[in-house]
Amino acid sequence: MKLPISLPNLLTSLRILLIPVLVAVFYLAPFEWRYLASAFVFSLASATDWLDGYLARKLNAITPFGAFLDPVADKLAVAVALVLLVEVHESAVLAIPALVIVCREIVVSALREWMAYYSDRRSVAVSYVGKVKTVFQMVAIIVLLASGPNLDSYFVIGGYVLLYLAAALTLWSMFQYLRIAWPDLSSGMVSSEGPDDDSEDKSPGS
């Protein structure tokens, strides 16, 4: 099987490869610069997120593989960074928005999969709220990674505020998805096409 190779897809793949680099730097780098180095790695990953999307549109290189891989790379990078931050901060104040963000991504991913099989509304464009949420989320993570668990720092406080704003916006965008899908979710109709989790006749690869 030949995967579609393009510059945007390579950048997206690089973002995934930077995730273990982020973890390694966070745990193995000398203490005096582990936080700044971690923030730099995450910033680099975030930059590829913007760049691969820009190049895909500019070069007319949008592919199904890229459309699949890009959100996966984003969610993996954010989830890993939030886990690292929750561990080092050891604070419920940080854990709450982190849990909200991660749980929302699980719900929306499941909803998108359901819509792809069972709904006429098979795709939902990224809203302005979603774009603002992403900016708040990325900036908050970068600031918190760079600052370390120093609760006396105004940067850390600002990072907490941004992360709570991102969590609020991520809930709002989830409700938008649910509102769009609700007519089909509440119709009681189930398409004959699509996966059947209760089926006993499953292919070997399922």
Side-chain angles (χ1 to χ4, degrees):
M1 181 178 64
K2 183 179 179 181
L3 294 178
I5 301 300
S6 66
L7 182 55
N9 288 348
L10 288 175
L11 288 171
T12 304
S13 301
L14 173 62
R15 187 155 72 258
I16 294 177
L17 293 175
L18 284 173
I19 294 173
V21 176
L22 171 64
V23 175
V25 169
F26 190 84
Y27 286 114
L28 302 178
F31 182 80
E32 58 270 16
W33 57 275
R34 65 181 284 206
Y35 296 120
L36 286 176
S38 300
F40 174 77
V41 174
F42 188 84
S43 298
L44 184 59
S46 300
T48 66
D49 182 22
W50 172 83
L51 186 59
D52 63 16
Y54 172 79
L55 289 176
R57 294 186 297 270
K58 190 75 172 178
L59 302 175
N60 194 26
I62 299 175
T63 64
F65 179 72
F68 156 75
L69 193 62
D70 184 67
V72 170
D74 296 343
K75 291 172 175 55
L76 286 175
V78 168
V80 169
L82 288 174
V83 168
L84 297 178
L85 287 171
V86 169
E87 179 192 0
V88 75
H89 281 251
E90 297 181 335
S91 169
V93 178
L94 181 62
I96 290 171
L99 287 171
V100 168
I101 290 170
V102 172
C103 290
R104 178 268 185 191
E105 296 299 346
I106 295 172
V107 171
V108 170
S109 294
L111 184 59
R112 282 173 172 166
E113 182 179 359
W114 182 90
M115 291 171 71
Y117 282 108
Y118 299 121
S119 174
D120 292 333
R121 303 163 177 83
R122 295 185 183 274
S123 63
V124 179
V126 177
S127 67
Y128 178 75
V129 171
K131 294 177 180 178
V132 173
K133 178 268 297 182
T134 299
V135 172
F136 283 179
Q137 183 173 272
M138 295 302 184
V139 173
I141 291 174
I142 291 170
V143 168
L144 291 172
L145 282 173
S147 303
N150 180 11
L151 296 181
D152 294 327
S153 169
Y154 287 113
F155 287 105
V156 173
I157 295 172
Y160 274 38
V161 171
L162 284 175
L163 198 62
Y164 269 90
L165 289 173
L169 291 175
T170 204
L171 286 177
W172 177 252
S173 63
M174 181 184 72
F175 290 138
Q176 287 182 322
Y177 275 102
L178 288 171
R179 179 176 57 83
I180 292 170
W182 185 249
D184 292 324
L185 283 169
S186 60
S187 67
M189 300 295 292
V190 178
S191 170
S192 60
E193 301 178 357
D196 181 4
D197 291 339
D198 296 325
S199 174
E200 295 180 359
D201 182 19
K202 293 183 180 289
S203 62
S206 60

